[in-house]
Each structure stands twice: as structure tokens, then as C-alpha cells.
């Protein structure tokens, strides 16, 4: 639910302050684990999304300072986009996701756990969808909180859920845990990927409970197989 409006200078300053506040052993980034979840390969999924049938009324920016070049595309049973990855650390306060580490931190997410608490970005892979606007209304295309998403980067697949909403004109954001699993620097102030991330959202899907990553992987693998068969 963040809106990235800080200047680059402010971001750099906040990152330096956050790093300075950490003990030496905590300021370095740990080597993230690699992801290949489920039985469907990244190559097989990507082969089905080589062309775009645009369903959005316009295109999105990847950041405030970029031009709008990213369409939302439709495919049988899915919507998808290819963009960058900004890091969302919103939700429950944890050691990696908090107001000191993240200049844009908010202690809530658009969708909540089964116990009513916000999601936990540090441990739960989730994806951010743009808030409803004249460009695109995600709910009109069967996308809902807890929906399954296959996130693909560097020949790896990570299954996530739709967990938060973002700015109305920007696309390409996922949780700390999503980035870390894909080998992307998950630092909310300085990390992320500039490009090369594909997000495939499965229509009318919903993980229950939303905080169960194992349930997301199981359902995601099943839906990915159906996607390959139907496209």
C-alpha cells in the first residue's frame, strides 16, 4: 500500500542511517536461497507469455520517474505483466521489515491473515497489484486477495499470493520474502530488480489461509499445469 515518493537523495540517506543503526553482523545481506517451486519450469511458463494481448486501458510505470510502458496482458485463465521488482516490506513489524529499515514502511497490508493481522512480508511471498484506477481494475478480471501468482526471475519460479495493493500508476512490486527466494536483493531501501521479472496471476484462485505458503505452492503448481494445457 506504499506510494514511493521520496527523492533518491532521501532514500540514500535513509538507507545509510538504517545501515548505521544495525550491528556490523546484521548490515550485510545474507545469501538468499534459490527458488524452483513446483514441477513446472520457468521456461515452460515463459513460453506461454511471449506475446501480450493488452487488457489494461493504459500502461503503467515501474517507478515514479519512468515513463508508462508496462501493459497488463490477458491469457486464458491468467493475467500477466513483465516489469521490475520493488520491495514491499509492509505489514507486521519484523527484524527486516520496519520503519528503520524501510523508508516507505506501513504497518498494514490490503489483505490480512486468517487471524486478522496484516501479512508478514519478511516470511510470506506475496505480490502487490496496482490499486483500482481508470487504467485497470484487478477485481474485474478474477484477481483477489490470496490469489496465486507465479513470479519468474532468472529461470526460477516462486509461488506467491496477492497480498497488497500499491499506487494506481505503478506496477512491479513484491514482498521481501518473494525477492529473497528468487535471489533478488530484498533490502526495502536499496534492493529489488530493475527488470526481467514476470508475474503470472491465476484468475479466480484463492489460497486459504492466505498465510500458508505451502498451500500457495500446491495450488500454484496445479494451476500452472492447467495453464500449460490450456494455452
Amino acid at each position: 500500500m506504499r506510494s514511493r515518493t521520496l527523492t533518491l537523495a532521501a532514500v540514500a540517506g535513509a538507507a545509510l542511517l538504517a545501515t548505521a543503526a544495525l550491528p556490523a553482523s546484521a548490515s550485510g545481506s545474507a545469501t538468499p536461497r534459490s527458488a524452483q517451486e513446483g514441477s513446472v519450469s520457468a521456461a515452460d511458463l515463459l513460453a506461454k507469455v511471449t506475446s501480450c494481448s493488452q487488457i489494461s486501458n493504459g500502461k503503467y510505470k515501474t517507478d515514479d520517474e519512468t515513463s508508462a510502458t508496462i501493459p497488463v496482458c490477458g491469457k486464458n485463465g491468467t493475467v500477466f505483466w513483465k516489469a521490475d521488482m520493488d520491495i514491499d516490506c509492509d505489514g507486521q513489524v519484523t527484524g527486516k521489515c520496519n520503519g528503520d529499515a524501510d523508508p516507505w514502511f506501513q504497518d498494514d497490508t490490503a489483505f490480512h491473515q486468517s487471524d486478522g493481522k496484516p501479512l508478514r512480508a519478511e516470511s510470506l511471498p506475496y505480490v502487490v497489484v496496482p490499486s483500482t484506477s481508470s487504467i485497470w481494475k484487478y477485481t474485474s478480471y478474477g484477481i483477489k486477495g490470496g490469489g496465486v501468482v507465479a513470479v519468474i526471475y532468472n529461470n526460477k519460479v516462486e509461488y506467491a499470493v496477492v497480498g497488497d495493493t500499491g499506487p494506481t500508476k505503478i506496477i512491479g512490486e513484491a514482498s521481501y520474502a518473494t525477492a529473497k527466494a528468487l535471489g533478488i536483493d530484498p533490502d526495502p531501501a536499496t534492493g529489488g530488480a530493475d527488470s526481467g521479472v514476470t508475474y503470472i496471476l491465476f484468475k479466480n484462485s484463492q489460497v486459504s489461509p492466505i498465510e500458508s505458503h505451502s498451500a500457495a505452492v500446491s495450488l500454484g503448481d496445479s494451476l500452472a499445469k492447467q495453464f500449460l494445457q490450456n494455452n
Side-chain angles (χ1 to χ4, degrees):
M1 296 171 69
R2 80 180 72 225
S3 178
R4 292 178 177 270
T5 57
L6 294 185
T7 65
L8 290 176
V11 172
L16 288 172
L17 287 173
T19 301
L22 293 170
S25 60
S27 59
S29 58
T31 302
R33 69 177 179 85
S34 295
Q36 177 52 63
E37 296 187 326
S39 60
V40 179
S41 71
D44 285 345
L45 288 171
L46 291 175
K48 299 295 185 178
V49 293
T50 55
S51 61
C52 175
S53 176
Q54 184 172 330
I55 60 172
S56 54
N57 294 324
K59 296 181 179 181
Y60 288 95
K61 300 179 177 182
T62 55
D63 295 292
D64 282 328
E65 66 274 13
T66 62
S67 56
T69 60
I70 309 297
V72 177
C73 310
K75 197 83 174 183
N76 186 17
T78 69
V79 302
F80 69 92
W81 55 83
K82 300 179 181 182
D84 65 344
M85 183 184 286
D86 294 328
I87 309 302
D88 189 332
C89 240
D90 294 343
Q92 295 185 42
V93 175
T94 63
K96 299 293 186 182
C97 292
N98 54 68
D100 292 328
D102 183 358
W104 304 276
F105 180 76
Q106 298 181 44
D107 61 359
D108 200 6
T109 49
F111 307 107
H112 292 168
Q113 296 181 165
S114 55
D115 61 3
K117 294 180 180 179
L119 302 182
R120 185 183 172 95
E122 183 177 332
S123 57
L124 180 69
Y126 70 73
V127 164
V128 181
V129 296
S131 295
T132 295
S133 72
S134 60
I135 301 176
W136 185 56
K137 183 178 181 180
Y138 64 90
T139 54
S140 296
Y141 288 85
I143 306 304
K144 62 187 77 175
V148 182
V149 188
V151 189
I152 305 165
Y153 179 77
N154 197 22
N155 296 316
K156 302 184 183 77
V157 179
E158 176 72 5
Y159 288 104
V161 293
V162 175
D164 205 357
T165 57
T168 57
K169 296 182 179 180
I170 295 176
I171 205 166
E173 188 173 2
S175 68
Y176 182 105
T178 310
K180 184 176 180 181
L182 289 168
I184 295 170
D185 182 355
D187 188 296
T190 61
D194 290 335
S195 62
V197 185
T198 299
Y199 303 81
I200 301 175
L201 290 71
F202 297 97
K203 294 181 178 179
N204 301 310
S205 63
Q206 192 161 34
V207 174
S208 183
I210 190 173
E211 66 269 21
S212 173
H213 181 57
S214 61
V217 175
S218 177
L219 181 56
D221 190 52
S222 175
L223 292 172
K225 291 175 182 176
Q226 291 180 26
F227 175 63
L228 295 185
Q229 292 173 355
N230 296 335
N231 289 276

